Amino acid sequence: MLGRIEGMKDVIEQVNRQFKDPDLTTFVCVCIPEFLSLYETERLVQELAKFEIDAHNIIINQVIFDEEAVESKLLRARVKMQQKYVDQFHMLYDDFNIIKLPLLPEEVCGVQALQNFSKHFLAPYSAALKRGSVEELEERVGTLKSALQEAESELDRVRKGKQVA
């Protein structure tokens, strides 16, 4: 019995050494851009650090990238909320490798789907060009120009108010 315990101790120590060697083992945290996930990721990173296990990689999954193409108010609100947490991940883990992966309309199932999805690990995901007709794009550009003009006017009013005061 003592021999078995000694044998197990050797295996446990070997595994422990491997886990602590960043050339052999690294832990990749996978999360989503929400408060609870950010909180749990922080707890995980702290626990892994206590045990000297490398965890300098974070994947933020299910990110909605294309705010301009989102027609739903609910999804636009989610984009805004997600961006807040993505920004917090970058502030907390500025020395980590952070990869953002898109929310997809379908599950990643099968070899081909996995191969297609895996390209996002090598190059940052970029949102597709805006969908729609030329007329829809021109309308969006017009809306954005109007919003920009309003913002510039407001900025001018604020600047003039500060000069008077």
Side-chain angles (χ1 to χ4, degrees):
M1 180 83 135
L2 188 57
R4 275 185 160 168
I5 292 174
E6 287 293 323
M8 284 177 56
K9 181 181 176 227
D10 291 340
V11 169
I12 291 169
E13 287 174 350
Q14 179 183 1
V15 169
N16 193 31
R17 279 192 303 277
Q18 288 177 347
F19 275 8
K20 290 181 178 185
D21 184 345
D23 292 330
L24 297 175
T25 305
T26 191
F27 196 95
V28 179
C29 303
V30 179
C31 56
I32 58 175
E34 294 183 2
F35 170 78
L36 190 56
S37 190
L38 174 66
Y39 175 77
E40 289 298 325
T41 299
E42 176 60 17
R43 280 186 25 169
L44 176 61
V45 167
Q46 294 298 325
E47 285 296 311
L48 291 170
K50 275 190 219 175
F51 294 103
E52 302 172 29
I53 297 173
D54 179 61
H56 281 81
N57 297 286
I58 296 177
I59 294 175
I60 305 174
N61 202 6
Q62 300 181 2
V63 177
I64 303 169
F65 281 89
D66 203 354
E67 183 177 2
E68 286 300 313
V70 172
E71 301 299 327
S72 160
K73 287 182 182 180
L74 174 65
L75 285 179
R76 275 197 293 268
R78 294 228 23 111
V79 167
K80 195 177 226 179
M81 183 266 311
Q82 284 187 346
Q83 189 56 53
K84 176 175 77 170
Y85 292 112
V86 167
D87 291 344
Q88 288 181 13
F89 273 106
H90 282 284
M91 284 182 355
L92 283 169
Y93 306 107
D94 63 341
D95 59 334
F96 280 46
N97 178 39
I98 297 176
I99 296 174
K100 297 183 294 184
L101 297 177
L103 174 65
L104 299 175
E106 70 281 330
E107 289 184 271
V108 179
C109 294
V111 174
Q112 186 61 48
L114 191 55
Q115 286 174 338
N116 291 340
F117 188 69
S118 68
K119 68 184 174 197
H120 300 305
F121 291 105
L122 303 175
Y125 174 80
S126 60
L129 291 176
K130 309 301 179 253
R131 294 167 289 283
S133 67
V134 171
E135 291 80 17
E136 289 171 323
L137 291 175
E138 287 174 344
E139 182 179 322
R140 286 185 184 155
V141 167
T143 302
L144 291 172
K145 283 181 179 178
S146 296
L148 177 60
Q149 287 174 344
E150 289 175 21
E152 288 174 338
S153 296
E154 180 65 28
L155 184 58
D156 286 342
R157 281 193 295 274
V158 170
R159 285 182 181 155
K160 288 178 183 175
K162 286 184 179 181
Q163 289 175 355
V164 172

